[in-house]
Amino acid sequence: MEIKKDCVVQFDYQLKDVAGKLLESSSGAGPTTYMHGHGGMLPALEKELAGLCAGAKVSAKLTQPYGPNHPDSMQRIPLKHLRAKKKPEPGSIVVVQGEQGPRQVTIVKVGKYSVDVDTNHPFAGMDLTFDVDVLDVREATAEELAHGHAHGPGGHEH
Ligand code: ZN
């Protein structure tokens, strides 16, 4: 079957910048699993995957899929608000609880009681290439449809 709304897709990927430098891949954590058409995947990438079948390979060049880099994105956060076990290093990426849910931020400066973070997504403002191997496409189960996300390896764990 081909990728369309309400199906569950499993894929391997390599994420590269325009110079071909590898930024991220599924080789460590294992394949990614998502349910198509439910906001669980980067919209620009989801559009490229629509209509593909298991076994398909695609190299999707995306223009700023994480949006532009906002210059006024520096924020000072009390250290205790970071869900980190130890003091973060500048340049590291941490997850903070924002008004719209958890988000990734980059540590810029670490003080005694607070950290300065850049709230832009680490890949904001970048053009990216996703090399994707589609591994599996299947119908979502009734339970997955009710939850609005994929279950199983690479998907949502409860
Ligand atoms: Zn669920």
Side-chain angles (χ1 to χ4, degrees), residues 147 149 151 158:
H147 287 200
H149 54 231
H151 291 162
H158 290 286

Side-chain angles (χ1 to χ4, degrees), residues 8-13 24-26 29-34 40-41 45 133 135-136 150 153-155:
V8 171
V9 184
Q10 190 179 51
F11 67 89
D12 271 324
Y13 72 96
E24 212 178 270
S25 86
S26 58
T32 298
T33 304
Y34 79 100
M41 182 50 53
L45 182 59
D133 287 358
L135 302 175
D136 187 51

